[in-house]
Amino acid sequence: MDHLPIFLNVKDVRALVVGNGTIAARKADLLLRAGCDLTVVAPELGDELARLAENYSFVHRSGELSADDLRGCVVVFGCSQDDSINQALFELATAAGVLVNVSDNTERCSFIMPAVVDRSPLLIAISSGGTSPLLTRMLKSRFETTIPAAYGRLAEFAGSYRDRIKALIPNLTRRRRFWETMISGPVAEHLFSSQLEQAETLMDTLLEEAAVAGDQPPGGEVYLVGTGPGDPDLLTFRALRLMQQADVVLYDRLIGDGILNLVRRDAERIYVGKLPQDHAVPQEEIGNMLIRLAQQGKRVLRLKGGDPFIFGRGGEEIEALSDNGIAFQVIPGVTAANGCASYAGIPLTHRDHAQSCVFVTGHEKDGELNLHWKSLIQPRQTVVLYMGLSSLGAITGGFISHGADPATPAAIIENGTRAGQRVITGTLDSLSDQTAQAGIKSPALIIIGSVVTLRDKLSWFANNP
Ligand code: SAH
Protein backbone atom coordinates (compact mmCIF):
# COMPACT_ATOMS: atom_id res chain seq x y z
CA MET A 1 0.00 0.00 0.00
CA ASP A 2 1.50 3.35 -1.01
CA HIS A 3 -1.04 5.54 0.75
CA LEU A 4 -2.95 5.51 4.00
CA PRO A 5 -6.69 5.82 3.35
CA ILE A 6 -8.38 7.91 6.05
CA PHE A 7 -11.46 10.11 6.31
CA LEU A 8 -10.70 13.43 7.97
CA ASN A 9 -13.18 15.18 10.20
CA VAL A 10 -12.85 18.75 8.97
CA LYS A 11 -16.02 20.21 10.42
CA ASP A 12 -15.23 23.87 11.32
CA VAL A 13 -11.57 23.24 10.68
CA ARG A 14 -9.67 25.73 8.52
CA ALA A 15 -8.75 24.83 4.97
CA LEU A 16 -7.32 26.76 2.06
CA VAL A 17 -7.79 26.65 -1.70
CA VAL A 18 -5.49 28.71 -3.88
CA GLY A 19 -6.79 29.40 -7.39
CA ASN A 20 -10.14 30.18 -9.03
CA GLY A 21 -10.69 27.77 -11.95
CA THR A 22 -12.79 24.61 -12.28
CA ILE A 23 -10.40 22.46 -10.23
CA ALA A 24 -10.31 25.03 -7.42
CA ALA A 25 -14.13 25.12 -7.44
CA ARG A 26 -14.37 21.33 -7.28
CA LYS A 27 -12.03 21.15 -4.27
CA ALA A 28 -13.85 24.03 -2.57
CA ASP A 29 -17.16 22.26 -3.13
CA LEU A 30 -15.91 19.08 -1.43
CA LEU A 31 -14.40 21.01 1.48
CA LEU A 32 -17.59 23.02 2.03
CA ARG A 33 -19.78 19.92 1.86
CA ALA A 34 -17.56 18.42 4.56
CA GLY A 35 -18.18 21.50 6.74
CA CYS A 36 -14.78 23.21 6.43
CA ASP A 37 -14.05 26.76 7.40
CA LEU A 38 -12.72 27.63 3.95
CA THR A 39 -10.60 30.46 2.63
CA VAL A 40 -10.02 30.91 -1.10
CA VAL A 41 -7.01 32.95 -2.15
CA ALA A 42 -7.30 34.23 -5.73
CA PRO A 43 -7.32 37.64 -7.49
CA GLU A 44 -11.08 37.19 -8.09
CA LEU A 45 -13.61 34.35 -7.91
CA GLY A 46 -14.19 32.51 -11.17
CA ASP A 47 -17.74 31.72 -12.34
CA GLU A 48 -17.96 28.37 -10.57
CA LEU A 49 -16.60 29.64 -7.28
CA ALA A 50 -18.96 32.59 -7.49
CA ARG A 51 -21.87 30.17 -7.94
CA LEU A 52 -20.68 28.19 -4.93
CA ALA A 53 -20.64 31.40 -2.89
CA GLU A 54 -24.40 31.68 -3.46
CA ASN A 55 -25.01 28.49 -1.42
CA TYR A 56 -22.12 28.39 1.03
CA SER A 57 -20.19 30.95 2.96
CA PHE A 58 -16.42 31.09 2.75
CA VAL A 59 -13.76 33.76 2.90
CA HIS A 60 -12.32 35.13 -0.32
CA ARG A 61 -8.97 36.91 -0.11
CA SER A 62 -7.63 38.59 -3.20
CA GLY A 63 -4.23 39.60 -1.80
CA GLU A 64 -1.00 37.72 -2.26
CA LEU A 65 -0.60 34.29 -0.62
CA SER A 66 1.15 34.53 2.77
CA ALA A 67 2.12 32.21 5.62
CA ASP A 68 -0.83 33.69 7.60
CA ASP A 69 -3.27 32.08 5.16
CA LEU A 70 -2.10 28.65 6.30
CA ARG A 71 -2.42 29.32 10.02
CA GLY A 72 -4.65 26.70 11.67
CA CYS A 73 -5.26 24.90 8.36
CA VAL A 74 -5.37 21.13 8.28
CA VAL A 75 -5.29 20.86 4.46
CA VAL A 76 -4.39 23.20 1.62
CA PHE A 77 -4.94 22.86 -2.12
CA GLY A 78 -2.86 24.47 -4.84
CA CYS A 79 -5.05 24.90 -7.92
CA SER A 80 -3.63 28.09 -9.37
CA GLN A 81 -2.89 28.44 -13.08
CA ASP A 82 0.30 30.21 -11.99
CA ASP A 83 2.76 27.48 -11.13
CA SER A 84 4.96 29.76 -9.02
CA ILE A 85 2.01 30.35 -6.65
CA ASN A 86 1.47 26.60 -6.30
CA GLN A 87 5.20 26.20 -5.61
CA ALA A 88 5.06 28.93 -2.96
CA LEU A 89 2.06 27.22 -1.33
CA PHE A 90 3.86 23.89 -1.37
CA GLU A 91 6.90 25.40 0.37
CA LEU A 92 4.82 27.20 2.99
CA ALA A 93 2.78 24.06 3.71
CA THR A 94 5.84 21.84 3.94
CA ALA A 95 7.51 24.26 6.35
CA ALA A 96 4.36 24.43 8.49
CA GLY A 97 3.71 20.67 8.38
CA VAL A 98 0.28 21.13 6.76
CA LEU A 99 -1.15 18.52 4.39
CA VAL A 100 -0.82 19.84 0.84
CA ASN A 101 -2.16 18.82 -2.54
CA VAL A 102 -1.10 20.56 -5.76
CA SER A 103 -3.30 19.55 -8.70
CA ASP A 104 -1.68 17.38 -11.33
CA ASN A 105 1.67 17.36 -9.58
CA THR A 106 2.19 14.26 -7.46
CA GLU A 107 5.62 15.46 -6.32
CA ARG A 108 3.99 18.40 -4.60
CA CYS A 109 1.33 16.31 -2.88
CA SER A 110 1.59 14.98 0.65
CA PHE A 111 -1.80 13.34 0.01
CA ILE A 112 -3.89 12.49 -3.03
CA MET A 113 -7.62 12.91 -3.53
CA PRO A 114 -9.67 9.78 -4.21
CA ALA A 115 -12.68 9.54 -6.49
CA VAL A 116 -15.72 9.66 -4.21
CA VAL A 117 -19.07 7.90 -4.30
CA ASP A 118 -21.19 9.95 -1.91
CA ARG A 119 -24.03 8.19 -0.14
CA SER A 120 -23.60 10.26 3.00
CA PRO A 121 -23.00 9.32 5.67
CA LEU A 122 -21.68 6.37 3.66
CA LEU A 123 -18.66 7.33 1.56
CA ILE A 124 -16.68 5.21 -0.85
CA ALA A 125 -13.26 6.55 -1.78
CA ILE A 126 -11.37 4.99 -4.69
CA SER A 127 -7.80 5.56 -5.71
CA SER A 128 -5.32 3.93 -8.03
CA GLY A 129 -2.50 5.84 -6.34
CA GLY A 130 -2.24 8.01 -9.44
CA THR A 131 -1.46 5.04 -11.73
CA SER A 132 -4.73 4.90 -13.68
CA PRO A 133 -7.33 7.65 -13.27
CA LEU A 134 -9.38 5.92 -15.98
CA LEU A 135 -9.65 2.72 -13.96
CA THR A 136 -10.63 4.78 -10.91
CA ARG A 137 -13.35 6.53 -12.89
CA MET A 138 -14.61 3.22 -14.26
CA LEU A 139 -14.86 1.75 -10.77
CA LYS A 140 -16.54 4.87 -9.49
CA SER A 141 -19.25 4.68 -12.15
CA ARG A 142 -19.72 1.00 -11.38
CA PHE A 143 -20.30 1.81 -7.69
CA GLU A 144 -22.53 4.74 -8.61
CA THR A 145 -24.84 2.37 -10.46
CA THR A 146 -24.76 -0.55 -8.02
CA ILE A 147 -24.95 1.13 -4.60
CA PRO A 148 -28.46 2.50 -4.19
CA ALA A 149 -28.90 5.92 -2.61
CA ALA A 150 -30.83 4.16 0.16
CA TYR A 151 -27.58 2.83 1.61
CA GLY A 152 -26.94 6.28 2.97
CA ARG A 153 -30.32 6.11 4.72
CA LEU A 154 -29.39 2.72 6.16
CA ALA A 155 -26.07 4.02 7.50
CA GLU A 156 -27.79 7.01 9.07
CA PHE A 157 -30.46 4.84 10.68
CA ALA A 158 -27.82 2.45 12.09
CA GLY A 159 -25.83 5.41 13.39
CA SER A 160 -28.82 6.71 15.33
CA TYR A 161 -29.03 3.41 17.28
CA ARG A 162 -25.31 2.94 17.79
CA ASP A 163 -24.91 4.12 21.39
CA ARG A 164 -28.08 2.36 22.57
CA ILE A 165 -26.98 -0.94 21.10
CA LYS A 166 -23.48 -0.63 22.47
CA ALA A 167 -24.91 -0.23 25.94
CA LEU A 168 -27.45 -3.03 25.48
CA ILE A 169 -25.02 -5.59 23.98
CA PRO A 170 -21.52 -5.18 25.45
CA ASN A 171 -20.31 -8.50 23.98
CA LEU A 172 -18.52 -7.63 20.73
CA THR A 173 -19.29 -10.83 18.84
CA ARG A 174 -22.95 -10.71 19.77
CA ARG A 175 -23.13 -7.05 18.83
CA ARG A 176 -21.59 -7.72 15.44
CA ARG A 177 -24.19 -10.42 14.82
CA PHE A 178 -26.92 -8.00 15.80
CA TRP A 179 -25.76 -5.51 13.18
CA GLU A 180 -25.47 -8.19 10.54
CA THR A 181 -29.04 -9.31 11.17
CA MET A 182 -30.20 -5.74 11.00
CA ILE A 183 -28.27 -4.76 7.89
CA SER A 184 -29.06 -7.85 5.84
CA GLY A 185 -32.64 -8.40 7.05
CA PRO A 186 -36.14 -6.88 6.94
CA VAL A 187 -35.16 -3.67 8.78
CA ALA A 188 -32.89 -2.72 5.90
CA GLU A 189 -35.44 -3.81 3.31
CA HIS A 190 -38.02 -1.46 4.80
CA LEU A 191 -35.54 1.40 4.87
CA PHE A 192 -34.68 0.78 1.23
CA SER A 193 -38.33 1.21 0.36
CA SER A 194 -38.61 4.35 2.56
CA GLN A 195 -40.86 2.70 5.17
CA LEU A 196 -39.20 4.28 8.15
CA GLU A 197 -41.95 3.56 10.68
CA GLN A 198 -42.04 -0.17 9.89
CA ALA A 199 -38.25 -0.27 10.08
CA GLU A 200 -38.38 1.29 13.55
CA THR A 201 -41.02 -1.20 14.72
CA LEU A 202 -38.92 -4.11 13.47
CA MET A 203 -35.88 -2.61 15.13
CA ASP A 204 -37.76 -2.45 18.44
CA THR A 205 -38.48 -6.18 18.14
CA LEU A 206 -34.81 -6.90 17.50
CA LEU A 207 -33.85 -4.81 20.53
CA GLU A 208 -36.33 -6.68 22.73
CA GLU A 209 -34.90 -10.00 21.55
CA ALA A 210 -31.39 -8.78 22.26
CA ALA A 211 -32.40 -7.69 25.77
CA VAL A 212 -33.89 -11.14 26.47
CA ALA A 213 -30.80 -12.95 25.13
CA GLY A 214 -28.59 -11.06 27.58
CA ASP A 215 -24.86 -10.82 27.08
CA GLN A 216 -23.99 -14.48 26.58
CA PRO A 217 -21.69 -15.03 23.62
CA PRO A 218 -23.71 -16.35 20.65
CA GLY A 219 -23.36 -19.92 19.45
CA GLY A 220 -20.29 -20.44 17.25
CA GLU A 221 -20.06 -22.30 13.99
CA VAL A 222 -17.38 -23.80 11.77
CA TYR A 223 -17.24 -23.31 8.00
CA LEU A 224 -15.13 -25.94 6.30
CA VAL A 225 -14.53 -24.24 2.99
CA GLY A 226 -12.91 -25.72 -0.11
CA THR A 227 -11.04 -22.96 -1.92
CA GLY A 228 -10.04 -24.80 -5.09
CA PRO A 229 -6.45 -25.32 -6.21
CA GLY A 230 -5.31 -21.70 -6.03
CA ASP A 231 -6.84 -19.35 -8.60
CA PRO A 232 -9.25 -17.18 -6.54
CA ASP A 233 -11.62 -17.06 -9.53
CA LEU A 234 -12.43 -20.71 -8.82
CA LEU A 235 -14.01 -19.94 -5.43
CA THR A 236 -17.74 -20.53 -5.11
CA PHE A 237 -20.08 -17.67 -4.20
CA ARG A 238 -20.92 -19.44 -0.98
CA ALA A 239 -17.26 -19.79 -0.04
CA LEU A 240 -16.74 -16.08 -0.63
CA ARG A 241 -19.80 -15.15 1.42
CA LEU A 242 -18.63 -17.19 4.42
CA MET A 243 -15.07 -15.90 4.05
CA GLN A 244 -16.50 -12.41 4.37
CA GLN A 245 -18.31 -13.11 7.63
CA ALA A 246 -15.80 -15.23 9.58
CA ASP A 247 -14.36 -14.04 12.89
CA VAL A 248 -11.27 -16.24 12.73
CA VAL A 249 -9.58 -18.19 9.95
CA LEU A 250 -7.37 -21.28 10.10
CA TYR A 251 -5.34 -21.88 6.95
CA ASP A 252 -2.36 -23.82 5.73
CA ARG A 253 0.29 -23.57 3.05
CA LEU A 254 -1.97 -24.67 0.18
CA ILE A 255 -3.93 -21.42 0.59
CA GLY A 256 -2.37 -18.65 -1.48
CA ASP A 257 -2.39 -14.93 -0.74
CA GLY A 258 -4.89 -14.28 -3.53
CA ILE A 259 -7.47 -16.24 -1.56
CA LEU A 260 -6.46 -15.09 1.93
CA ASN A 261 -6.88 -11.48 0.82
CA LEU A 262 -10.57 -12.18 0.27
CA VAL A 263 -11.13 -13.15 3.92
CA ARG A 264 -12.68 -10.42 6.06
CA ARG A 265 -9.90 -7.94 6.83
CA ASP A 266 -10.31 -7.93 10.59
CA ALA A 267 -10.67 -11.70 11.01
CA GLU A 268 -8.01 -13.23 13.25
CA ARG A 269 -5.61 -15.41 11.21
CA ILE A 270 -4.12 -18.64 12.49
CA TYR A 271 -1.58 -20.56 10.41
CA VAL A 272 -1.78 -24.28 10.96
CA GLY A 273 0.39 -25.14 7.98
CA LYS A 274 2.01 -28.42 7.42
CA LEU A 275 5.10 -28.76 5.31
CA PRO A 276 5.62 -32.30 3.99
CA GLN A 277 7.40 -34.34 6.66
CA ASP A 278 6.94 -31.47 9.08
CA HIS A 279 3.62 -31.74 10.83
CA ALA A 280 3.56 -28.28 12.37
CA VAL A 281 0.14 -28.52 14.01
CA PRO A 282 -1.10 -32.10 14.48
CA GLN A 283 -4.53 -32.87 13.05
CA GLU A 284 -5.97 -33.52 16.49
CA GLU A 285 -4.81 -30.11 17.70
CA ILE A 286 -6.47 -28.43 14.68
CA GLY A 287 -9.72 -30.22 15.58
CA ASN A 288 -9.42 -29.01 19.18
CA MET A 289 -8.76 -25.44 18.05
CA LEU A 290 -11.86 -25.46 15.85
CA ILE A 291 -13.95 -26.70 18.79
CA ARG A 292 -12.48 -24.24 21.28
CA LEU A 293 -12.94 -21.22 19.01
CA ALA A 294 -16.51 -22.19 18.09
CA GLN A 295 -17.32 -22.64 21.79
CA GLN A 296 -16.23 -19.02 22.34
CA GLY A 297 -19.06 -18.07 19.99
CA LYS A 298 -16.86 -17.38 16.97
CA ARG A 299 -17.58 -18.11 13.34
CA VAL A 300 -14.56 -20.16 12.49
CA LEU A 301 -13.43 -20.45 8.89
CA ARG A 302 -11.31 -23.48 8.10
CA LEU A 303 -9.89 -23.01 4.62
CA LYS A 304 -8.97 -26.14 2.71
CA GLY A 305 -7.10 -26.30 -0.59
CA GLY A 306 -9.22 -27.94 -3.31
CA ASP A 307 -12.19 -29.80 -1.89
CA PRO A 308 -12.37 -30.55 1.86
CA PHE A 309 -13.52 -34.13 1.28
CA ILE A 310 -10.91 -35.09 -1.29
CA PHE A 311 -7.68 -35.94 0.53
CA GLY A 312 -8.41 -32.96 2.74
CA ARG A 313 -9.09 -34.66 6.08
CA GLY A 314 -12.38 -32.76 6.12
CA GLY A 315 -14.16 -35.90 7.28
CA GLU A 316 -11.96 -36.16 10.38
CA GLU A 317 -12.43 -32.51 11.26
CA ILE A 318 -16.21 -32.58 11.10
CA GLU A 319 -16.30 -35.84 13.04
CA ALA A 320 -14.59 -34.03 15.92
CA LEU A 321 -17.06 -31.15 15.58
CA SER A 322 -20.13 -33.33 15.56
CA ASP A 323 -18.82 -35.31 18.58
CA ASN A 324 -18.76 -31.99 20.43
CA GLY A 325 -22.10 -30.69 19.21
CA ILE A 326 -20.61 -27.83 17.18
CA ALA A 327 -22.62 -26.57 14.21
CA PHE A 328 -20.78 -26.66 10.90
CA GLN A 329 -21.15 -26.25 7.15
CA VAL A 330 -19.03 -27.89 4.46
CA ILE A 331 -18.55 -25.98 1.23
CA PRO A 332 -17.21 -27.99 -1.69
CA GLY A 333 -14.38 -26.68 -3.82
CA VAL A 334 -12.84 -27.47 -7.20
CA THR A 335 -10.44 -30.28 -6.45
CA ALA A 336 -6.84 -30.18 -7.72
CA ALA A 337 -7.57 -32.92 -10.27
CA ASN A 338 -10.17 -31.06 -12.27
CA GLY A 339 -8.71 -27.59 -11.67
CA CYS A 340 -5.21 -28.57 -12.77
CA ALA A 341 -6.42 -30.78 -15.63
CA SER A 342 -8.57 -28.02 -17.05
CA TYR A 343 -5.87 -25.34 -16.77
CA ALA A 344 -3.34 -27.74 -18.35
CA GLY A 345 -5.60 -28.67 -21.27
CA ILE A 346 -5.99 -32.33 -20.30
CA PRO A 347 -9.58 -33.65 -20.23
CA LEU A 348 -9.78 -36.33 -17.54
CA THR A 349 -12.26 -38.41 -19.54
CA HIS A 350 -12.76 -38.55 -23.29
CA ARG A 351 -14.81 -40.87 -25.50
CA ASP A 352 -11.73 -41.97 -27.44
CA HIS A 353 -9.38 -42.32 -24.49
CA ALA A 354 -10.86 -42.89 -21.05
CA GLN A 355 -14.27 -43.77 -19.69
CA SER A 356 -13.22 -43.77 -16.07
CA CYS A 357 -11.01 -41.71 -13.85
CA VAL A 358 -9.69 -42.53 -10.39
CA PHE A 359 -8.19 -40.25 -7.78
CA VAL A 360 -5.59 -41.83 -5.46
CA THR A 361 -3.03 -40.60 -3.00
CA GLY A 362 0.61 -41.33 -3.73
CA HIS A 363 1.54 -40.52 -0.15
CA GLU A 364 3.75 -43.24 1.33
CA LYS A 365 2.84 -44.71 4.69
CA ASP A 366 5.84 -46.02 6.66
CA GLY A 367 7.93 -45.85 3.45
CA GLU A 368 5.43 -48.04 1.55
CA LEU A 369 3.24 -47.15 -1.40
CA ASN A 370 0.01 -48.86 -0.60
CA LEU A 371 -1.65 -48.87 -4.02
CA HIS A 372 -4.02 -51.39 -5.53
CA TRP A 373 -2.09 -51.73 -8.79
CA LYS A 374 -4.55 -54.07 -10.49
CA SER A 375 -7.42 -51.63 -10.27
CA LEU A 376 -5.20 -48.73 -11.35
CA ILE A 377 -3.76 -50.42 -14.43
CA GLN A 378 -6.94 -50.70 -16.47
CA PRO A 379 -7.53 -49.91 -20.12
CA ARG A 380 -9.29 -46.62 -20.96
CA GLN A 381 -8.81 -45.22 -17.47
CA THR A 382 -7.14 -42.02 -16.22
CA VAL A 383 -5.35 -42.14 -12.89
CA VAL A 384 -4.78 -38.93 -10.93
CA LEU A 385 -2.30 -39.04 -8.07
CA TYR A 386 -2.34 -36.49 -5.28
CA MET A 387 0.67 -36.05 -2.96
CA GLY A 388 2.81 -38.18 -5.26
CA LEU A 389 5.78 -35.93 -5.97
CA SER A 390 8.22 -37.39 -3.45
CA SER A 391 7.32 -40.97 -4.44
CA LEU A 392 7.06 -40.32 -8.21
CA GLY A 393 9.83 -42.80 -9.08
CA ALA A 394 8.17 -45.53 -7.02
CA ILE A 395 4.80 -44.74 -8.59
CA THR A 396 5.88 -44.85 -12.26
CA GLY A 397 8.17 -47.84 -11.51
CA GLY A 398 5.28 -49.62 -9.76
CA PHE A 399 2.96 -49.10 -12.74
CA ILE A 400 5.58 -50.58 -15.09
CA SER A 401 6.56 -53.51 -12.86
CA HIS A 402 2.88 -54.39 -12.45
CA GLY A 403 2.34 -54.61 -16.20
CA ALA A 404 1.63 -51.10 -17.51
CA ASP A 405 3.15 -50.11 -20.86
CA PRO A 406 6.24 -47.93 -20.14
CA ALA A 407 5.12 -45.70 -23.03
CA THR A 408 1.83 -44.84 -21.27
CA PRO A 409 1.48 -41.02 -21.41
CA ALA A 410 1.89 -39.23 -18.07
CA ALA A 411 2.02 -35.62 -16.89
CA ILE A 412 2.91 -33.66 -13.80
CA ILE A 413 1.43 -30.23 -13.03
CA GLU A 414 3.16 -27.95 -10.55
CA ASN A 415 1.24 -25.03 -9.01
CA GLY A 416 -1.82 -25.78 -11.11
CA THR A 417 -4.16 -22.81 -11.79
CA ARG A 418 -1.71 -20.40 -10.13
CA ALA A 419 0.77 -17.93 -11.51
CA GLY A 420 3.87 -19.99 -12.27
CA GLN A 421 1.95 -23.14 -13.26
CA ARG A 422 4.24 -25.65 -14.99
CA VAL A 423 3.15 -28.73 -16.91
CA ILE A 424 5.50 -31.52 -17.96
CA THR A 425 4.32 -34.34 -20.18
CA GLY A 426 6.12 -37.59 -20.96
CA THR A 427 5.62 -41.28 -20.42
CA LEU A 428 5.73 -43.61 -17.43
CA ASP A 429 9.41 -44.36 -18.04
CA SER A 430 10.47 -40.73 -18.58
CA LEU A 431 8.38 -38.61 -16.21
CA SER A 432 10.40 -39.14 -13.05
CA ASP A 433 13.69 -38.00 -14.67
CA GLN A 434 12.00 -35.07 -16.44
CA THR A 435 10.48 -33.95 -13.13
CA ALA A 436 13.81 -34.10 -11.33
CA GLN A 437 15.52 -32.20 -14.13
CA ALA A 438 12.93 -29.45 -14.11
CA GLY A 439 13.14 -29.19 -10.31
CA ILE A 440 9.38 -29.52 -9.88
CA LYS A 441 8.21 -28.66 -6.37
CA SER A 442 5.10 -29.22 -4.27
CA PRO A 443 2.18 -28.84 -4.82
CA ALA A 444 2.25 -31.10 -7.85
CA LEU A 445 -0.33 -33.42 -9.34
CA ILE A 446 0.32 -36.48 -11.50
CA ILE A 447 -1.98 -37.59 -14.32
CA ILE A 448 -1.46 -40.98 -16.00
CA GLY A 449 -3.33 -42.14 -19.10
CA SER A 450 -3.65 -41.51 -22.82
CA VAL A 451 -5.77 -38.35 -22.24
CA VAL A 452 -2.42 -36.63 -21.57
CA THR A 453 -1.68 -36.71 -25.34
CA LEU A 454 -4.67 -34.43 -25.93
CA ARG A 455 -2.80 -31.58 -24.27
CA ASP A 456 -0.87 -30.84 -27.47
CA LYS A 457 -4.13 -30.19 -29.24
CA LEU A 458 -6.10 -28.63 -26.40
CA SER A 459 -3.66 -26.61 -24.33
CA TRP A 460 -4.18 -23.75 -26.78
CA PHE A 461 -7.66 -23.45 -25.44
CA ALA A 462 -6.85 -24.14 -21.80
CA ASN A 463 -7.17 -21.39 -19.22
CA ASN A 464 -3.95 -19.63 -18.48
CA PRO A 465 -3.44 -18.88 -14.82
N1 SAH B 1 -8.14 -31.31 -0.81
C1 SAH B 1 -7.20 -31.03 -1.88
C2 SAH B 1 -6.04 -32.00 -1.90
C3 SAH B 1 -5.15 -31.90 -0.70
S1 SAH B 1 -3.84 -33.03 -0.77
C4 SAH B 1 -7.94 -31.03 -3.21
O1 SAH B 1 -9.11 -31.40 -3.28
O2 SAH B 1 -7.33 -30.61 -4.20
C5 SAH B 1 -2.54 -32.03 -1.37
C6 SAH B 1 -2.17 -32.42 -2.79
O3 SAH B 1 -3.09 -31.89 -3.71
C7 SAH B 1 -0.83 -31.91 -3.23
O4 SAH B 1 0.22 -32.72 -2.77
C8 SAH B 1 -0.99 -31.99 -4.73
O5 SAH B 1 -0.82 -33.30 -5.20
C9 SAH B 1 -2.43 -31.60 -4.92
N2 SAH B 1 -2.60 -30.18 -5.21
C10 SAH B 1 -3.32 -29.31 -4.51
N3 SAH B 1 -3.29 -28.08 -5.09
C11 SAH B 1 -2.52 -28.21 -6.19
C12 SAH B 1 -2.12 -27.30 -7.20
N4 SAH B 1 -2.48 -26.02 -7.20
N5 SAH B 1 -1.31 -27.77 -8.19
C13 SAH B 1 -0.94 -29.06 -8.21
N6 SAH B 1 -1.30 -29.95 -7.27
C14 SAH B 1 -2.09 -29.53 -6.28
Side-chain angles (χ1 to χ4, degrees):
M1 225 163 39
D2 291 330
H3 294 92
L4 173 75
I6 57 169
F7 291 89
L8 285 177
N9 179 357
V10 287
K11 201 140 272 155
D12 300 325
V13 173
R14 289 204 60 210
L16 177 69
V17 169
V18 177
N20 59 8
T22 301
I23 298 175
R26 234 182 267 154
K27 302 288 194 266
D29 181 37
L30 273 176
L31 291 165
L32 290 166
R33 273 162 46 197
C36 261
D37 171 6
L38 176 68
T39 299
V40 174
V41 172
E44 69 271 337
L45 293 184
D47 289 349
E48 290 167 78
L49 277 167
R51 223 169 300 132
L52 212 53
E54 290 166 14
N55 296 321
Y56 294 99
S57 71
F58 57 89
V59 177
H60 171 217
R61 236 182 44 71
S62 54
E64 220 170 88
L65 175 71
S66 78
D68 273 352
D69 291 317
L70 281 82
R71 191 149 301 141
C73 281
V74 64
V75 282
V76 298
F77 290 87
C79 315
S80 173
Q81 272 104 343
D82 181 342
D83 199 46
S84 65
I85 296 181
N86 289 335
Q87 175 64 24
L89 176 72
F90 174 70
E91 284 167 16
L92 286 171
T94 310
V98 174
L99 291 173
V100 57
N101 176 291
V102 173
S103 307
D104 280 335
N105 192 325
T106 42
E107 270 152 39
R108 292 197 217 141
C109 285
S110 59
F111 70 98
I112 52 175
M113 290 295 283
V116 176
V117 180
D118 187 357
R119 299 285 183 273
S120 284
L122 181 76
L123 286 177
I124 302 171
I126 312 157
S127 162
S128 65
T131 55
S132 174
L134 180 74
L135 183 66
T136 315
R137 270 204 300 280
M138 242 173 67
L139 282 173
K140 173 177 151 72
S141 62
R142 209 177 279 181
F143 281 123
E144 290 286 8
T145 49
T146 52
I147 310 258
Y151 271 63
R153 215 176 299 141
L154 176 61
E156 202 168 348
F157 184 83
S160 69
Y161 280 89
R162 217 172 148 212
D163 290 342
R164 255 172 86 187
I165 285 163
K166 207 166 175 185
L168 182 69
I169 317 172
N171 178 280
L172 187 65
T173 313
R174 188 173 272 286
R175 197 159 70 233
R176 194 180 276 157
R177 297 279 171 87
F178 177 92
W179 285 122
E180 278 166 7
T181 312
M182 184 243 152
I183 283 171
S184 54
V187 175
E189 288 306 326
H190 282 84
L191 282 173
F192 290 159
S193 52
S194 300
Q195 296 170 293
L196 183 62
E197 252 174 59
Q198 286 92 328
E200 281 169 349
T201 311
L202 286 166
M203 194 68 172
D204 286 343
T205 315
L206 283 184
L207 288 171
E208 277 162 28
E209 283 169 11
V212 171
D215 201 30
Q216 296 304 311
E221 194 178 4
V222 174
Y223 312 137
L224 198 59
V225 171
T227 61
D231 183 348
D233 278 4
L234 296 179
L235 281 172
T236 60
F237 286 121
R238 188 156 165 217
L240 191 59
R241 202 168 55 242
L242 296 178
M243 285 161 75
Q244 288 289 320
Q245 65 183 44
D247 300 310
V248 48
V249 51
L250 277 73
Y251 66 101
D252 51 47
R253 93 199 144 83
L254 268 186
I255 311 298
D257 285 348
I259 285 172
L260 264 188
N261 286 341
L262 297 172
V263 174
R264 203 175 89 199
R265 282 259 155 233
D266 54 348
E268 183 190 346
R269 289 165 190 228
I270 304 177
Y271 180 71
V272 290
K274 284 178 267 180
L275 299 167
Q277 283 95 39
D278 170 21
H279 294 261
V281 181
Q283 188 61 41
E284 201 188 323
E285 178 53 23
I286 295 177
N288 290 339
M289 276 162 96
L290 294 175
I291 293 164
R292 206 169 52 239
L293 290 162
Q295 280 170 343
Q296 291 165 9
K298 299 201 165 125
R299 281 167 304 189
V300 189
L301 174 68
R302 170 69 169 124
L303 291 180
K304 288 279 185 185
D307 181 90
F309 283 172
I310 296 186
F311 308 123
R313 308 193 74 168
E316 286 143 86
E317 285 176 19
I318 58 170
E319 220 174 302
L321 297 173
S322 102
D323 287 349
N324 285 273
I326 307 283
F328 62 84
Q329 302 183 37
V330 181
I331 289 77
V334 173
T335 188
N338 43 24
C340 297
S342 146
Y343 277 49
I346 301 173
L348 292 177
T349 66
H350 188 287
R351 272 170 75 95
D352 301 335
H353 293 266
Q355 274 75 51
S356 68
C357 173
V358 288
F359 297 173
V360 285
T361 164
H363 188 65
E364 288 173 316
K365 220 172 179 185
D366 306 323
E368 285 274 321
L369 254 186
N370 206 1
L371 293 176
H372 192 262
W373 297 105
K374 190 158 171 262
S375 63
L376 295 186
I377 305 169
Q378 293 291 328
R380 306 175 76 75
Q381 174 166 278
T382 306
V383 180
V384 181
L385 288 120
Y386 289 69
M387 293 176 276
L389 179 62
S390 56
S391 49
L392 180 59
I395 291 167
T396 50
F399 266 84
I400 295 169
S401 66
H402 288 85
D405 181 353
T408 305
I412 188 155
I413 302 156
E414 174 195 64
N415 268 325
T417 81
R418 305 175 186 189
Q421 167 179 296
R422 286 201 287 170
V423 183
I424 290 180
T425 56
T427 53
L428 278 179
D429 59 356
S430 72
L431 192 67
S432 184
D433 285 349
Q434 288 171 283
T435 299
Q437 259 165 29
I440 293 287
K441 294 201 180 63
S442 183
L445 190 84
I446 301 155
I447 302 180
I448 297 172
S450 76
V451 286
V452 168
T453 58
L454 292 164
R455 172 173 157 80
D456 288 343
K457 220 198 253 171
L458 301 181
S459 62
W460 294 102
F461 309 107
N463 308 310
N464 276 318

